[in-house]
Amino acid sequence: MLLSTKINSFVERLNACSELKDCKIIKAYPYSMKPTNLKSTVIAVSVGEIASENVEIGGEELYGKYKINAYIYSPYKINDFNSIISLVINSQLNAYPSAVSVSEISNSDDLECLFVNCSFTFFDSLDFGGDENE
Amino acid sequence: MQSKKFEITKYLNALGQTVSIKNQNGGEGDILAIVQSFWNGGKSRYAKRLHKIGLTVDDYYSLICSADYNISSLNENDIAEFDNKKFRIVHTETVRVGNEIQYYSATLKRIWEEEDAFIN
């Protein structure tokens, strides 16, 4: 399964959570201006670390762990930040992550919001593309 | 120090551009003010920075208006609008000589709307 497919699946699972319908879910680093005042929580999804190994010597299939990070940004006025973190984690549990870690909640004066990083580790085979006929 | 209220008011009203102020209670009004980019001495401050949720830039402006327009009660929930751009009032100051108000000044920050962003 391609890495982009895994990211898309991750985003789909977040979108499927009805309690997160008020949050904007995006892929990280959009090349557009951030709204000066965030009106709702924004979840930016991106690939974290990847560590994979060949399943067999000379084989083409890689297997290992990869991380997907969900960066949650909330305006200062959102009070229920902790429940959003719980919902994000809960939305991914049916994909059986092998580890979940959540960073400390911080504030960013530059972005004028609170943020936290939820990191999900999965074990799976990885496909980085390429021509099958080669 | 001598009060220059008359001269300041005369020139600010003659040279100022129309700035529309919308306050949080729905009130609206126009003032004449001189507005200029705050960081006009350091262009590098306009370099955009890319974050995980988009680009940001420190686009602050200073606004000076005459004592005819009392803007001292405005706060960050009020919006200034000119040149089809929206600005948030970050800070206001009243400049006095003795007890006489000479002019008002404010610091504005450009507002980028939600609709402009997240097009990916």
Side-chain angles (χ1 to χ4, degrees):
Chain A
M1 198 189 272
L2 284 168
L3 209 49
S4 56
T5 317
K6 292 182 189 303
I7 291 283
N8 290 339
S9 310
F10 189 94
V11 170
E12 277 170 24
R13 288 193 293 273
L14 286 173
N15 280 323
C17 180
S18 58
E19 289 97 334
L20 292 173
K21 67 178 189 306
D22 293 332
C23 302
K24 279 192 186 303
I25 297 157
I26 61 166
K27 289 176 191 167
Y29 300 108
Y31 197 73
S32 54
M33 292 303 293
K34 180 195 91 68
T36 306
N37 304 317
L38 286 183
K39 292 190 177 79
S40 59
T41 299
V42 180
I43 303 168
V45 180
S46 78
V47 178
E49 294 168 31
I50 300 169
S52 57
E53 289 180 357
N54 238 329
V55 174
E56 57 186 16
I57 295 166
E60 291 182 351
E61 195 183 349
L62 291 166
Y63 192 89
K65 66 177 181 180
Y66 62 94
K67 274 187 187 174
I68 295 180
N69 294 327
Y71 300 96
I72 307 170
Y73 294 84
S74 270
Y76 291 136
K77 287 177 185 172
I78 296 255
N79 297 321
D80 214 3
F81 196 49
N82 294 324
S83 74
I84 294 170
I85 297 169
S86 305
L87 288 166
V88 168
I89 294 170
N90 192 42
S91 71
Q92 301 302 321
L93 292 181
N94 58 2
Y96 306 113
S98 61
V100 178
S101 65
V102 179
S103 72
E104 196 180 341
I105 298 172
S106 329
N107 76 307
S108 166
D109 293 338
D110 197 17
L111 300 171
E112 298 181 47
C113 59
L114 298 169
F115 72 90
V116 74
N117 176 20
C118 296
S119 184
F120 296 83
T121 307
F122 298 91
F123 271 95
D124 202 353
S125 61
L126 289 163
D127 181 356
F128 296 98
D131 191 348
E132 287 181 357
N133 298 323
E134 275 181 356
Chain B
M1 195 173 182
Q2 219 176 1
S3 172
K4 297 282 183 190
K5 182 184 174 182
F6 176 75
E7 288 90 336
I8 292 170
T9 303
K10 189 174 112 184
Y11 285 111
L12 283 177
N13 288 347
L15 300 172
Q17 64 172 311
T18 305
V19 177
S20 170
I21 304 283
K22 290 176 185 167
N23 70 31
Q24 55 189 319
N25 303 321
E28 205 170 321
D30 290 346
I31 63 169
L32 290 168
I34 292 176
V35 183
Q36 70 167 356
S37 137
F38 207 79
W39 304 122
N40 58 351
K43 304 293 182 200
S44 64
R45 291 182 188 269
Y46 289 109
K48 293 185 177 75
R49 294 186 298 280
L50 183 57
H51 299 272
K52 293 176 186 77
I53 52 171
L55 295 155
T56 61
V57 63
D58 287 335
D59 39 4
Y60 288 92
Y61 287 71
S62 73
L63 175 148
I64 296 171
C65 69
S66 71
D68 294 346
Y69 306 104
N70 186 353
I71 59 165
S72 61
S73 60
L74 298 178
N75 61 38
E76 63 173 12
N77 296 316
D78 303 319
I79 304 288
E81 210 171 331
F82 61 90
D83 285 348
N84 296 321
K85 292 174 192 164
K86 282 186 180 175
F87 297 84
R88 187 175 73 199
I89 317 280
V90 177
H91 179 71
T92 58
E93 267 181 56
T94 307
V95 179
R96 289 187 173 89
V97 170
N99 284 328
E100 192 166 31
I101 295 168
Q102 304 295 298
Y103 62 89
Y104 293 99
S105 78
T107 303
L108 312 178
K109 186 179 185 188
R110 171 104 185 257
I111 292 177
W112 296 89
E113 298 283 6
E114 194 100 355
E115 298 80 51
D116 302 336
F118 307 141
I119 316 163
N120 75 331

